[in-house]
């Protein structure tokens, strides 16, 4: 039998009864373990994520089977490379207690423990997003959270915002389609969503998008099916993922990329860094890279899933950023959120820690338990003459040509309708009918004038789209 101890390893003789002055009390202040247990309980919850609060996670591997070295020098993409990873799935809008089967975008965040440090790919189960400029992001998230006056979720706020921000129509159509409620995390695709860059050993840059295609097949739920599941099981996705991995039924995704050379962007006909748009496969075909498998469950949910911290700022040589305005803002906001939630040294937690050697001059801060070689050499600053870690110019990226006038630029185009129209046109007739019904359901509690604005937008996508929603609304 293992000996129960305090957090500092001191053996505990009794964990059943408080230390008191007599059988009827009162309690004694010297009962440190009682005080420690109560104080720790008060601090067992860290601030939940502002978005992506409800999540599930698992460990796995990225296995590269194809040679794409002409596009990137990243070792993680070398043919034959196997890289351990941690993947966190989530719903986006709901709180930590939200039901897994709600209609919502799903987060798809992957932490790769590469030989060159941590690479985080922060994406969703959709290739697009509601916005293309992070200036609007806090306002958008306010519409997805609770009304501060009523403390209720507000369809009216969501649709008021969406009808005034028609760039969201593409993502809204995806959200209200069948794929708005995946049957499980195993049965949905994942996307890096943003445009990133590959850099090869010639220091040439390519623009890239990442795709993870489920090999389990796409499976989705209708509103009615989801309601029945939620009534019985609010953790349906968590249960499905955990139990399947425990049984050895490991989920697998094929990994693909879309690649554009810097001088090829004009052939798209729109801003390649616009997060509300997809790159048509007919113009930029998918390239097979390898596969991703999830094969191990976490042992401690809080330590490994709740404290898992992702940021697109974590890149490795051969992979970098793009001018995508949403991505640029997330490079700051994601690590800042983790510093607030978990602390300045969140990167030292086992689930977040790099597997390769780390040499940094960041020191101290709450919960700092890292011991770096730099400090062992007596070097806690840079530059120094003590043999501490120093820069290496071979890791500099190629220059990126940018505009030389700072301004609050309007988007390059206001075509909010072509890509939603293309998506709508390829939907089967039965899925269109469900789309209409899902949209009609989402208008519950929405003012008539806002519904009218939404219908006007749907009309511009397709008269069939608008008429289908009108019929579902009984108008």
């Amino acid at each position: 039998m293992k000996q129960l101890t305090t957090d500092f390893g001191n053996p505990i003789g009794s964990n059943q009864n408080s230390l008191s002055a007599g059988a009827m009390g009162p309690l004694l202040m010297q009962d440190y373990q009682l005080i420690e247990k109560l104080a720790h309980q008060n601090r067992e919850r860290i601030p939940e994520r502002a978005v992506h609060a409800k999540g599930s996670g698992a460990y796995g591997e990225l296995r590269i089977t194809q040679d794409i070295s002409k596009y990137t020098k990243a070792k993680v993409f070398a043919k034959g490379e196997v890289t351990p990873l941690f993947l966190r799935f989530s719903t986006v809008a709901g709180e930590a207690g939200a039901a897994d089967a709600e209609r919502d975008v799903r987060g798809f965040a992957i932490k790769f423990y590469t030989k060159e440090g941590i690479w985080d790919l922060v994406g969703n189960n959709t290739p697009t997003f509601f916005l293309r400029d992070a200036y609007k992001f806090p306002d958008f998230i306010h519409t997805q959270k609770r009304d501060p006056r009523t403390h209720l979720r507000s369809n009216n706020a969501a649709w008021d915002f969406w009808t005034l921000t028609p760039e969201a129509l593409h993502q809204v159509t995806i959200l209200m389609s069948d794929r708005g409620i995946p049957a499980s995390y195993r049965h949905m695709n994942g996307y890096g969503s943003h445009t990133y860059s590959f850099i090869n050993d010639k220091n040439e840059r390519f623009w890239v998008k990442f795709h993870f295609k489920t090999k389990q097949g796409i499976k989705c739920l209708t509103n009615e099916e989801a309601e029945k599941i939620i009534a019985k099981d609010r953790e349906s996705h968590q249960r499905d993922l955990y139990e399947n991995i425990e049984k050895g039924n490991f989920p697998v995704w094929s990994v693909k990329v879309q690649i554009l050379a810097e001088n090829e962007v004009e052939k798209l006909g729109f801003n390649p860094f616009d997060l509300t748009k997809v790159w048509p496969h007919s113009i930029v075909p998918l390239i097979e890279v390898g596969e991703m498998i999830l094969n191990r469950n976490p042992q401690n949910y809080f330590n490994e899933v709740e404290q898992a911290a992702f940021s697109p700022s974590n890149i490795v040589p051969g992979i970098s950023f793009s001018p995508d305005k949403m991505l640029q803002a997330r490079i700051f906001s994601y690590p800042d959120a983790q510093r607030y939630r978990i602390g300045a040294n969140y990167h030292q937690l086992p689930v977040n820690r790099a597997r390769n050697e780390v040499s940094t001059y960041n020191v101290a801060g709450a919960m700092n338990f890292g011991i770096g070689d730099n400090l062992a050499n007596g070097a806690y600053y840079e530059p120094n003459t003590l043999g501490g870690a120093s820069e290496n110019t071979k890791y500099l990226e190629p220059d990126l040509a940018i505009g030389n006038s700072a301004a609050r630029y309007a988007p390059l185009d206001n075509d909010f309708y072509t890509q939603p129209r293309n998506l709508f046109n390829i939907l089967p007739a039965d899925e269109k009918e469900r789309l209409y019904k899902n949209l009609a359901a989402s208008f519950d509690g929405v003012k008539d004038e806002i519904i009218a604005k939404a219908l006007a937008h749907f009309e511009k996508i397709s008269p069939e789209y608008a008429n289908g929603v009108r019929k579902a609304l009984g108008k």
Side-chain angles (χ1 to χ4, degrees), residues 49-52 120 122 129 133-138 141 194 309-314 321 324-342 346:
R49 290 167 168 88
V51 288
H52 299 276
D120 283 340
V122 181
F129 193 63
D133 190 329
Y135 215 40
K136 300 179 181 180
F137 188 74
I141 294 302
H194 294 289
F310 303 84
S311 173
S313 59
N314 295 328
F321 313 123
D324 180 336
K325 292 182 179 180
M326 286 293 295
L327 173 61
Q328 292 280 313
R330 282 173 167 157
I331 291 167
F332 160 74
S333 65
Y334 274 58
D336 189 58
Q338 308 304 349
R339 285 187 289 266
Y340 165 70
R341 279 197 335 117
I342 309 171
Y346 71 91

Side-chain angles (χ1 to χ4, degrees), residues 23 78 300 319 341 373 382 435 440 443:
N300 184 304
I319 304 172
R341 279 197 335 117
D373 291 338
E382 202 278 332
L435 172 67
F443 285 128

Side-chain angles (χ1 to χ4, degrees), residues 35-50:
I35 295 170
E36 179 68 17
K37 289 176 72 175
L38 294 176
H40 193 280
Q41 182 186 35
N42 288 342
R43 294 161 176 80
E44 283 180 350
R45 297 294 178 264
I46 60 177
E48 71 173 39
R49 290 167 168 88

Side-chain angles (χ1 to χ4, degrees), residues 156 443-452:
N156 193 74
F443 285 128
D444 183 34
V446 178
K447 295 179 180 178
D448 288 343
E449 57 267 31
I450 293 176
I451 296 175

Side-chain angles (χ1 to χ4, degrees), residues 104-164:
D104 196 357
V105 178
R106 300 304 192 272
F108 199 96
I110 316 172
K111 184 177 296 294
F112 299 94
Y113 304 98
T114 87
K115 295 173 180 176
E116 300 174 292
I118 295 293
W119 172 39
D120 283 340
L121 186 63
V122 181
N124 288 320
N125 70 323
T126 60
T128 60
F129 193 63
F130 299 93
L131 305 172
R132 51 188 170 182
D133 190 329
Y135 215 40
K136 300 179 181 180
F137 188 74
D139 295 289
F140 166 64
I141 294 302
H142 288 170
T143 73
Q144 302 299 297
K145 295 294 185 177
R146 296 179 181 274
D147 183 317
R149 182 175 59 87
T150 66
H151 199 58
L152 298 171
R153 297 283 291 275
S154 173
N155 288 340
N156 193 74
W159 275 107
D160 190 29
F161 183 89
W162 287 337
T163 55
L164 295 170

Side-chain angles (χ1 to χ4, degrees), residues 87 105-110 121-128 171 174 179 188-194 196 209-214 218 253 256 258 275 278 281 286 292:
L87 194 159
V105 178
R106 300 304 192 272
F108 199 96
I110 316 172
L121 186 63
V122 181
N124 288 320
N125 70 323
T126 60
T128 60
Q171 179 80 333
I174 297 173
R179 297 198 183 191
M188 69 182 197
N189 292 338
Y191 302 89
S193 302
H194 294 289
Y196 293 86
K209 283 184 177 288
F210 298 99
H211 300 250
F212 300 82
K213 302 289 190 178
T214 177
I218 295 288
W253 287 259
K256 303 174 187 286
Q258 287 179 289
L275 186 55
V278 298
H281 295 176
L286 291 171
M292 178 181 69

